[in-house]
Amino acid sequence: NGVLARTLDGGATWTTVGVPTTGAVLDASFPNPDVGFAIDSGAGAFKTVNGGASWQILDPGASTGLAGVLALDPSTVLLIGPRGVRRSTDGGGSFEFIADKDVRNVRLVNAEPAGTAVLAYGGEALRLRLSSESSDGDGQTVTARLTPDVAELVERVRLRCARSASD
């Protein structure tokens, strides 16, 4: 419980990183080698800025279990499930529930990057596209649409490849 295994060299060597929880760590996402986010089986969310040496407990705004986490960059973090998506644009300082009708009541289990889009999947698969706001240019908007026949894509993105530090 509360342990992640981490590699920085494509899987040749591994180190364990402790997360301050008694629950099982369900998912983790690191947009770079230092900044990372994790969720546990008790709806807990956590952030590290030093590669896992220490963790901050976040308030995900969810009272029931989360299913997945995806950090698109150190500031933009998506929490997936159990129904819908919560998004932070301030590095986990706060999360907003995405009210879009295509994601708000959908049972989702995780999300993966898919080019310039994000594929959130579960009972129904969704494609979330992030784009800059045209009105003031200082934020991001999330639009969603149901994507049919994504079983093959879901299987491909589910098999994650270790990202190198240069990404």
Side-chain angles (χ1 to χ4, degrees):
N1 290 352
V3 176
L4 296 174
R6 180 174 177 215
T7 183
L8 295 173
D9 57 11
T13 61
W14 293 84
T15 57
T16 56
V17 177
V19 180
T21 178
T22 57
V25 174
L26 299 178
D27 197 15
S29 181
F30 281 70
N32 65 45
D34 294 320
V35 177
F37 298 85
I39 60 166
D40 72 5
S41 57
F46 310 88
K47 176 183 181 179
T48 182
V49 294
N50 55 16
S54 64
W55 293 82
Q56 172 188 359
I57 298 172
L58 304 176
D59 179 4
S63 59
T64 59
L66 299 168
V69 60
L70 176 62
L72 300 173
D73 58 53
S75 296
T76 309
V77 183
L78 302 176
L79 298 178
I80 309 302
R83 294 239 178 239
V85 176
R86 288 175 178 75
R87 178 180 66 147
S88 174
T89 57
D90 60 4
S94 62
F95 289 89
E96 66 175 320
F97 184 74
I98 302 301
D100 187 289
K101 68 179 177 64
D102 288 331
V103 295
R104 71 175 171 241
N105 290 315
V106 177
R107 184 160 185 74
L108 300 170
V109 296
N110 213 332
E112 298 289 340
T116 60
V118 172
L119 179 69
Y121 53 91
E124 300 174 49
L126 301 172
R127 188 174 189 177
L128 306 176
R129 184 169 304 282
L130 297 175
S131 60
S132 296
E133 291 179 1
S134 58
S135 59
D136 58 14
D138 67 351
Q140 290 185 321
T141 58
V142 175
T143 58
R145 66 179 175 82
L146 291 174
T147 305
D149 302 322
V150 296
E152 182 180 340
L153 179 58
V154 168
E155 186 57 30
R156 265 191 297 144
V157 297
R158 191 81 178 117
L159 302 171
R160 294 182 183 182
C161 295
R163 293 184 197 171
S164 69
S166 63
D167 285 352

